[in-house]
Amino acid sequence: MCNCIETKVLDVTQKVQVEMLAKEIEKIDVLFNCAGFVHHGTILDCEDKDWDFTMNLNVRSMYLMIKAFLPKMGPDNILAIVLKTCAPDLAAPLELQDWYLPNNLENCPGVVNRCAYSSSKAAVIGLTKSVAADFIEQGIVCNCVCPGTVDTPSLRERIQARPNPQQALKDFLDRQKTGRMATAEEVAHLCVYLASDESAYVTGKEFIIDGGWSL
């Protein structure tokens, strides 16, 4: 069996590190941005440093990665950029957490204690649509994935950090109309679709995968 997976470790908020990685790679077909951070609190709880860190990691990192790697996408086939608009604590494709922001921003309900976070994710949706519009004629598609609550180790850590973990878990489950949280694999299947030729006619869209939470 061929070992075709090679990993690189870098800080996606650092422009120099991103550009150095881009120099090592000649051509790419898919770019998947998934680094992020969840700040808990209202605007009154959000200090300048919290706002800056959230925007730097959740939005600017995507700007840096797309700017560095989009020129590496050749014109010979359909190419995909997938932005994940939920935020894990680690930049790993399956480390997904809960997030909600509907695709119709005009009818977007507020989410309590997620001021900086929700603001950054609205910016990601705008970035998605802008990149999609600018590069559609070059055969490049850009979409974003908006998961609801996903059962992952990182989410379990957040639950255990609450004063009453059992109640916190119950609260998460009670808001799920399906009676359960999503699995990371379910979200991954959507990401694979958006990175494949089968989704070549889809661009500039937000894909909500939340088990009906937003209904």
Side-chain angles (χ1 to χ4, degrees), residues 75-204:
D76 54 338
N77 62 342
I78 295 297
L79 305 147
I81 299 173
V82 183
L83 309 182
K84 184 173 62 58
T85 57
C86 73
D89 294 324
L90 300 174
L94 296 184
E95 286 291 315
L96 306 180
Q97 291 185 33
D98 63 296
W99 177 79
Y100 170 58
L101 187 64
N103 55 351
N104 187 344
L105 295 180
E106 293 181 357
N107 297 321
C108 176
V111 180
V112 296
N113 293 317
R114 289 292 187 273
C115 176
Y117 185 64
S118 294
S119 299
S120 70
K121 296 311 170 181
V124 171
I125 290 178
L127 177 62
T128 299
K129 294 180 180 296
S130 177
V131 172
D134 286 337
F135 295 95
I136 187 171
E137 293 183 1
Q138 285 94 314
I140 295 174
V141 301
C142 183
N143 296 287
C144 61
V145 176
C146 309
T149 307
V150 184
D151 192 359
T152 66
S154 56
L155 176 61
R156 294 286 176 169
E157 289 176 5
R158 289 169 54 199
I159 291 175
Q160 289 302 313
R162 300 285 181 87
N164 187 338
Q166 288 186 337
Q167 183 61 46
L169 177 59
K170 182 178 183 302
D171 291 342
F172 271 114
L173 292 174
D174 284 347
R175 72 185 188 185
Q176 308 304 316
K177 297 178 181 179
T178 57
R180 68 174 181 85
M181 294 182 280
T183 67
E185 288 76 13
E186 288 172 319
V187 180
H189 289 316
L190 175 57
C191 294
V192 170
Y193 165 71
L194 293 175
S196 70
D197 290 341
E198 282 71 21
S199 65
Y201 208 60
V202 179
T203 191

Side-chain angles (χ1 to χ4, degrees), residues 36-90:
F37 169 75
V38 181
H39 176 267
H40 181 84
T42 70
I43 192 170
L44 299 180
D45 303 313
C46 183
E47 301 295 336
D48 290 354
K49 62 180 179 61
D50 300 320
W51 181 270
D52 292 343
F53 181 77
T54 297
M55 293 300 173
N56 196 31
L57 182 56
N58 293 4
V59 185
R60 186 172 181 270
S61 67
M62 294 190 181
Y63 153 77
L64 292 175
M65 291 293 289
I66 294 173
K67 188 172 183 180
F69 286 95
L70 192 148
K72 305 283 184 178
M73 293 182 161
D76 54 338
N77 62 342
I78 295 297
L79 305 147
I81 299 173
V82 183
L83 309 182
K84 184 173 62 58
T85 57
C86 73
D89 294 324
L90 300 174

